[in-house]
Amino acid sequence: MKKYDKKILSELKVLLSRQENKILSSLAVRNADAVRRMPDERLESDYRQAFSVDVDRILHSLAYARYIDKTQVFYLVKNDHITHRVLHVQLVSKIARTIGRFLSLNEDLIEAIALGHDIGHTPFGHDGERFLSEICRNHGIGYFHHNLQSVHFLENVERKGEGWNLCLQTLDGILSHDGEIHSDKLLPVTDKTFIKMDKEITAKKTDPNTALIPMTLEGCLVRMADTVSYIGRDIEDAIRLKLIHRSDLPRESVSLLGDTNGTIVFNLVTDIICTSRGHPYIAFSPEVSEALKRLKSFNLEHIYMNSRIKKHTRRIKELFEMLFETYLMDMKNQRESSVIFKQFLKDMKQTYIQCHHPAEIVRDFISGMTDQYFLSQCPELMRPVI
């Protein structure tokens, strides 16, 4: 393997830092401010900056690869043009980096948060998340939230329990990204530490109403961009599946935001830039915030709760319960022929196994599954028909 001059590599990183100081807003996070939970000797001779390393580590994670077959909204549908989780996170990343460039924020941190924010999502989207959360509560391991699980995967499950040792700012943005909560303005809570983050995770498992606010403007931006990325895209998918018509959209929202994904994204992005530039917060203008809120209510009623896309819900819930109990019994009986031993726990670090209750291990295994792998683990006669 070719050896490179460490001095040259160090100079490259210094050069990037100088450029960063010239370009970034005083409100942006510098790579020099990045904090990792553990020292990382491999990075001492690395010319990449801290958050760029986080992006690479997330991209190369096994959980990222599984985005390819995870539901965004619509599942068990034969249509290659319907949005999957992998496309959603790329859209969030692109939209957030576009806004971040105009606000002179750290685009590497933005990208890391965006690409990692749904790593912990279950198969079958928010329905799967709801089913798994109920099961977890019944087994005494707290509520399941995909944002908490994303941090857990990246810190404790990936690399056979070693984790990726990502920066606090990246993990905090992932933890606090909740795009389902409507926010017209987000002001970062800057005094975070790993200790405080761990306490927030514990509190959220106990009380789902625990508020999580990002510690950086970049984290606030990704949280806003999450909504921007899915609101119009879900409308286009629903129209494509003939669940709604474009003419059904609320007029008050259409008059401000438009009636296509392209115009909705453009207007929301433009509004965030104009409302937030030069301020220590990320915000929508009041009128655009209200129009977006109406559109989210419309989507909830006419798309997300539409009975036509819920026909397999009961069966999926039964399969979640069945698989959880099956794997839990396999764990308790030490049935090493089970896939949870042969695949998930194979070569897993003992510290992971020793520090996790059997129900937590089953939770981690199931939440990491793709839709198709999940179904492949179920008896064929019980699988819903696409």
Side-chain angles (χ1 to χ4, degrees):
M1 184 169 137
K2 186 173 179 180
K3 300 289 185 181
Y4 293 95
D5 189 326
K6 289 185 179 181
K7 183 179 178 183
I8 293 175
L9 297 181
S10 178
E11 288 173 352
L12 287 173
K13 186 179 282 188
V14 170
L15 178 62
L16 285 175
S17 295
R18 288 174 182 165
Q19 291 175 343
E20 180 179 82
N21 287 329
K22 290 179 182 178
I23 295 170
L24 293 188
S25 160
S26 60
L27 301 169
V29 176
R30 268 53 176 178
N31 278 278
D33 298 326
V35 181
R36 297 189 191 276
R37 196 183 287 271
M38 297 172 291
D40 200 328
E41 293 180 4
R42 292 171 298 176
L43 300 180
E44 291 179 6
S45 59
D46 196 324
Y47 56 87
R48 294 172 299 168
Q49 292 179 294
F51 301 122
S52 178
V53 170
D54 282 5
V55 171
D56 291 343
R57 289 180 174 182
I58 291 169
L59 280 171
H60 289 289
S61 68
L62 293 179
Y64 187 89
R66 294 194 296 271
Y67 273 144
I68 193 69
D69 183 37
K70 288 215 176 193
T71 293
Q72 176 62 14
V73 172
F74 305 98
Y75 51 81
L76 299 173
V77 172
K78 277 189 177 179
N79 191 310
D80 291 338
H81 298 123
I82 297 302
T83 306
H84 279 63
R85 191 69 55 181
V86 67
L87 178 56
H88 167 68
V89 299
Q90 291 168 340
L91 291 171
V92 175
S93 176
K94 176 58 179 173
I95 289 167
R97 283 184 291 118
T98 296
I99 300 170
R101 190 168 303 140
F102 283 100
L103 300 182
S104 301
L105 300 179
N106 191 315
E107 290 185 50
D108 283 337
L109 175 55
I110 289 170
E111 185 175 21
I113 296 170
L115 295 182
H117 82 278
D118 275 350
I119 285 286
H121 232 302
T122 62
F124 302 104
H126 287 286
D127 284 344
E129 181 172 17
R130 190 171 70 254
F131 304 149
L132 188 55
S133 186
E134 182 180 337
I135 295 167
C136 288
R137 293 200 315 274
N138 290 340
H139 284 84
I141 58 174
Y143 287 84
F144 177 91
H145 301 275
H146 75 270
N147 49 331
L148 275 62
Q149 189 70 8
S150 295
V151 172
H152 177 61
F153 248 94
L154 291 166
E155 284 221 280
N156 304 310
V157 181
E158 275 286 321
R159 301 175 74 216
K160 290 299 178 181
E162 187 174 339
W164 284 108
N165 194 26
L166 301 182
C167 297
L168 171 64
Q169 293 88 340
T170 300
L171 293 169
D172 169 78
I174 291 170
L175 175 66
S176 308
H177 81 262
D178 201 339
E180 283 70 51
I181 297 174
H182 185 76
S183 304
D184 55 3
K185 180 190 287 187
L186 282 173
L187 186 71
V189 176
T190 57
D191 63 338
K192 298 275 191 85
T193 63
F194 275 108
I195 293 174
K196 288 185 178 180
M197 185 183 78
D198 293 342
K199 287 181 178 178
E200 286 184 331
I201 291 172
T202 301
K204 189 75 171 177
K205 282 183 184 178
T206 305
D207 179 6
N209 294 315
T210 300
L212 301 175
I213 305 298
M215 66 183 292
T216 65
L217 272 182
E218 288 82 357
C220 293
L221 174 53
V222 172
R223 179 158 154 175
M224 294 286 207
D226 190 15
T227 303
V228 175
S229 71
Y230 73 68
I231 194 73
R233 186 82 192 189
D234 291 350
I235 289 169
E236 298 295 344
D237 285 349
I239 292 172
R240 189 170 286 113
L241 294 174
K242 297 181 170 39
L243 295 175
I244 61 171
H245 300 284
R246 205 172 297 279
S247 57
D248 296 333
L249 300 178
R251 291 182 182 179
E252 302 93 333
S253 297
V254 169
S255 64
L256 270 178
L257 303 178
D259 64 355
T260 67
N261 181 51
T263 55
I264 290 169
V265 169
F266 180 83
N267 285 313
L268 290 175
V269 165
T270 305
D271 188 71
I272 291 174
I273 292 170
C274 294
T275 308
S276 308
R277 186 154 181 80
H279 297 289
Y281 54 73
I282 304 295
F284 292 110
S285 63
E287 60 273 18
V288 166
S289 175
E290 190 58 36
L292 176 59
K293 195 173 181 179
R294 283 199 196 96
L295 204 54
K296 290 174 81 170
S297 296
F298 172 86
N299 280 18
L300 178 64
E301 180 181 353
H302 297 277
I303 301 176
Y304 310 139
M305 302 305 294
N306 193 312
S307 60
R308 289 172 59 191
I309 69 168
K310 297 293 184 182
K311 57 185 177 181
H312 297 299
T313 301
R314 181 178 296 179
R315 177 56 56 85
I316 296 296
K317 184 176 189 292
E318 291 171 354
L319 293 176
F320 264 88
E321 293 168 347
M322 185 206 71
L323 282 187
F324 199 99
E325 292 304 322
T326 298
Y327 295 135
L328 192 57
M329 288 304 297
D330 290 343
M331 289 288 299
K332 290 179 178 178
N333 295 324
Q334 290 294 298
R335 193 173 293 123
E336 296 189 6
S337 60
S338 169
V339 291
I340 197 167
F341 284 101
K342 292 171 67 177
Q343 294 183 18
F344 184 67
L345 291 177
K346 184 182 179 182
D347 301 324
M348 188 70 83
K349 289 185 70 173
Q350 282 301 308
T351 49
Y352 169 83
I353 298 171
Q354 292 165 1
C355 293
H356 291 83
H357 186 277
E360 293 174 315
I361 294 175
V362 174
R363 173 202 64 198
D364 293 349
F365 183 39
I366 291 178
S367 68
M369 292 179 179
T370 63
D371 293 17
Q372 288 304 311
Y373 184 83
F374 177 96
L375 292 176
S376 74
Q377 299 304 301
C378 303
E380 192 168 353
L381 291 177
M382 291 185 68
R383 298 173 197 171
V385 178
I386 297 177

